[in-house]
Amino acid sequence: NINIMPNWCSTRYACTGEETQLQELYERMKRLQEMTEPLKPNGFGTTWLGNLVEDLGVDFNTVQCRGSWDDPTLENSVLRFSTETAWYRCTEVEDLIREKYPSIEIFFLCEEPGMCIYEKNSDVYFDEEYIVDYSAGDRYYLSEADALNELSEVFGIDFADIDEAMILVSEHNDKEDNDDDQIYVHKFELVD
């Protein structure tokens, strides 16, 4: 039995719907994460998505739930939290939440750099359009205009549009021998 180390996918969520359903899901997540022991043994602790699946009355073995959640907050009728999951978003957990809480709409911004997955399903809750990622460590989530400004400052050129900037980024990365000087620019794809 080979245990393959996955690429980790980071997803930020914003959930809207009936206040009572949002409150119940929020309190469920807070209660689970504050437990001293998880419901089932796992490698993620009390914020394992399988704990949430089990607490919703479903056997975790029947739902892809390899990952954990973090930072649930409920403010202004929006439940926000983030997840770290294997390979991609745990869409089966999302489906289960929708099944148990029919009024809840789930919005997300998802990134898994190893597979070049950069997706979101809302411009309202996630207005970021690009990630400008410097291999030396800095990473910025920006609108297209702000990404263009960032790259204009880096290269000392006023670019006409993002496509022109991307050409120079590509040329820069091709010339740079030092991996620490690479610049990566990724556009979030708007998906259903």
Side-chain angles (χ1 to χ4, degrees):
N1 197 9
I2 297 173
N3 190 4
I4 298 173
M5 180 63 116
N7 291 337
W8 291 104
C9 177
S10 299
T11 306
R12 287 184 281 150
Y13 288 96
C15 302
T16 62
E18 292 176 9
E19 189 70 34
T20 54
Q21 291 188 5
L22 291 169
Q23 186 71 38
E24 185 180 315
L25 179 56
Y26 169 72
E27 288 174 5
R28 182 182 299 265
M29 294 174 82
K30 292 296 280 184
R31 176 179 47 79
L32 288 168
Q33 79 180 25
E34 291 168 2
M35 295 173 63
T36 55
E37 293 291 325
L39 296 175
K40 303 278 182 174
N42 67 82
F44 298 97
T46 58
T47 60
W48 172 48
L49 288 167
N51 279 342
L52 180 60
V53 168
E54 287 281 330
D55 202 60
L56 289 169
V58 176
D59 180 352
F60 79 89
N61 291 300
T62 65
V63 177
Q64 206 295 18
C65 55
R66 188 173 177 193
S68 61
W69 78 81
D70 196 20
D71 300 325
T73 61
L74 180 58
E75 294 175 9
N76 302 319
S77 300
V78 180
L79 171 60
R80 294 182 185 272
F81 61 94
S82 58
T83 62
E84 285 287 319
T85 54
W87 305 110
Y88 193 57
R89 308 181 343 257
C90 284
T91 57
E92 292 178 15
V93 175
E94 293 172 13
D95 292 342
L96 180 59
I97 290 170
R98 285 186 195 96
E99 179 185 317
K100 299 295 182 176
Y101 301 103
S103 79
I104 291 182
E105 286 190 75
I106 299 174
F107 303 100
F108 63 83
L109 182 137
C110 167
E111 60 182 287
E112 199 286 87
M115 299 297 291
C116 295
I117 297 170
Y118 299 92
E119 299 175 343
K120 65 179 182 171
N121 68 346
S122 170
D123 284 329
V124 174
Y125 293 99
F126 302 102
D127 60 358
E128 304 93 327
E129 295 175 276
Y130 288 86
I131 296 176
V132 178
D133 191 0
Y134 298 95
S135 56
D138 290 333
R139 170 178 258 214
Y140 302 99
Y141 295 80
L142 304 166
S143 68
E144 183 171 319
D146 290 340
L148 202 53
N149 287 338
E150 173 70 19
L151 295 170
S152 291
E153 281 187 35
V154 167
F155 292 107
I157 296 171
D158 287 330
F159 294 110
D161 57 37
I162 197 73
D163 293 331
E164 184 182 53
M166 294 301 290
I167 291 168
L168 195 54
V169 166
S170 181
E171 289 173 359
H172 165 83
N173 288 345
D174 288 345
K175 285 191 296 192
E176 281 301 325
D177 292 333
N178 186 349
D179 284 344
D180 288 343
D181 292 329
Q182 299 291 305
I183 301 170
Y184 303 99
V185 181
H186 306 285
K187 182 175 181 27
F188 282 103
E189 178 185 354
L190 194 59
V191 297
D192 293 333

